[in-house]
Amino acid sequence: MKPLFLMAAIAVIAISSEAKAAPIRLCTGSESGVYFAAGDAIAKMAGKSVSVVNVPTEGTIDNLERVLDLDPANPEACDAMIGQPDGPVYVGRSSPAKVKKLRQVATLHREYLHVLCGKKSGVDDLSDLPDDPAKYSVAIGEPGSGAWLIWQNIIAEDDSYGKVPVRNEGGVLALSAVSSGEATCMLVPAGLRNGTVTEADQTYGDTVILAGANDRDFDDATDIKGDPLYEYRDIPKGTYPKSLQSGWFASRKTISWPAAVFVNTDRIDAKALPGFVQAAARAAQGIKAEYGN
């Protein structure tokens, strides 16, 4: 009986070791960004119930490629991701079967489309740009960036935006271009108190304004569940108080969405999935409290 008992004990240890050796890899974003911080929160909340590894990436499009396209055995691949909900929508337009592998399991902090425009341009809403594409332009970041992604979905809802010239710059370079008049506007999809928008508020208040994004053509956009992709919300007054939201008209309405957690249902073991989903849902409460609900 002793050999049988010993063999059973060894089998239990082996199974346990195998489970611990296969953590869920969660693709997030830049190590200095909110997505990475959210990934850390989920990993900590998971505790011993399921092992979660937070993987730094370049953002939503990079995450989708790692979760859907890379072989699971590839060390760069992931099993789950945090990202903009319009990312799966963008991929689904060309590869609907691929997106069916994704399941949204949690919603996190609220994000807003910050539209920064030159004060002298006369543009106070994104919907002004298609009115005169020969005159206006917009900075949308590098291909694959969050701003680039949302611009692709905006064009899908209203192709007149596709006539507006774009600049593949983001951050301070785009901000400088808007300030000098080289670009009319720039897009910054992000949570509240974003670094680039805060820099505009602190440093570029004489030349840059916070514009809106209120084209009702965006109402038709839906996420992978068929629910409305965007909603219209005010960026709360006082978020950028020095210049962008000073004066009587402090709030600014724009399109908004919650960041989300997605899993590739083909890659996560059915026994591990409930623990991960529970960890993401529990961590979401603190993430929303920290970065906006």
Side-chain angles (χ1 to χ4, degrees), residues 49-62:
S49 64
V50 59
S51 177
V52 177
V53 175
N54 186 0
V55 180
T57 68
E58 296 180 6
T60 300
I61 292 295
D62 185 27

Side-chain angles (χ1 to χ4, degrees), residues 106-169:
T107 56
L108 304 179
H109 60 286
R110 180 157 294 280
E111 297 181 314
Y112 300 80
L113 180 59
H114 298 76
V115 183
L116 298 173
C117 299
K119 189 172 287 189
K120 292 182 179 180
S121 70
V123 172
D124 61 8
D125 195 273
L126 188 65
S127 60
D128 294 338
L129 297 185
D131 292 343
D132 196 345
K135 179 180 179 182
Y136 301 136
S137 62
V138 61
I140 61 171
E142 294 290 336
S145 68
W148 176 90
L149 170 61
I150 199 169
W151 187 250
Q152 310 314 306
N153 284 316
I154 285 172
I155 292 173
E157 296 306 317
D158 184 343
D159 60 9
S160 67
Y161 285 91
K163 300 175 183 178
V164 180
V166 301
R167 295 171 65 100
N168 293 120
E169 292 179 336

Side-chain angles (χ1 to χ4, degrees), residues 47-243:
K48 296 180 180 179
S49 64
V50 59
S51 177
V52 177
V53 175
N54 186 0
V55 180
T57 68
E58 296 180 6
T60 300
I61 292 295
D62 185 27
N63 292 351
L64 285 163
E65 291 175 353
R66 293 176 185 235
V67 168
L68 294 174
D69 297 332
L70 291 186
D71 188 287
N74 189 313
E76 299 295 316
C78 287
D79 313 297
M81 60 169 278
I82 296 174
Q84 295 173 207
D86 51 5
V89 173
Y90 171 74
V91 172
R93 278 197 289 273
S94 58
S95 304
K98 186 187 297 185
V99 173
K100 288 182 179 179
K101 299 177 183 180
L102 287 178
R103 176 179 174 183
Q104 183 176 329
V105 298
T107 56
L108 304 179
H109 60 286
R110 180 157 294 280
E111 297 181 314
Y112 300 80
L113 180 59
H114 298 76
V115 183
L116 298 173
C117 299
K119 189 172 287 189
K120 292 182 179 180
S121 70
V123 172
D124 61 8
D125 195 273
L126 188 65
S127 60
D128 294 338
L129 297 185
D131 292 343
D132 196 345
K135 179 180 179 182
Y136 301 136
S137 62
V138 61
I140 61 171
E142 294 290 336
S145 68
W148 176 90
L149 170 61
I150 199 169
W151 187 250
Q152 310 314 306
N153 284 316
I154 285 172
I155 292 173
E157 296 306 317
D158 184 343
D159 60 9
S160 67
Y161 285 91
K163 300 175 183 178
V164 180
V166 301
R167 295 171 65 100
N168 293 120
E169 292 179 336
V172 69
L173 292 180
L175 188 54
S176 175
V178 171
S179 176
S180 67
E182 293 180 32
T184 309
C185 300
M186 68 178 292
L187 305 184
V188 186
L192 298 177
R193 292 175 291 279
N194 168 267
T196 298
V197 187
T198 297
E199 179 69 14
D201 183 52
Q202 297 291 324
T203 310
Y204 292 87
D206 292 340
T207 55
V208 173
I209 67 165
L210 180 63
N214 296 284
D215 192 326
R216 304 312 299 192
D217 284 335
F218 303 156
D219 293 357
D220 298 331
T222 57
D223 63 18
I224 59 173
K225 305 189 302 297
D227 296 328
L229 181 59
Y230 305 124
E231 58 184 289
Y232 298 93
R233 291 229 180 170
D234 286 335
I235 295 176
K237 61 182 180 180
T239 305
Y240 308 104
K242 183 174 180 181
S243 59

Side-chain angles (χ1 to χ4, degrees), residues 232-262:
Y232 298 93
R233 291 229 180 170
D234 286 335
I235 295 176
K237 61 182 180 180
T239 305
Y240 308 104
K242 183 174 180 181
S243 59
L244 296 183
Q245 292 184 300
S246 61
W248 291 100
F249 302 101
S251 63
R252 177 63 71 178
K253 185 167 288 187
T254 185
I255 54 175
S256 175
W257 60 89
V261 181
F262 301 90

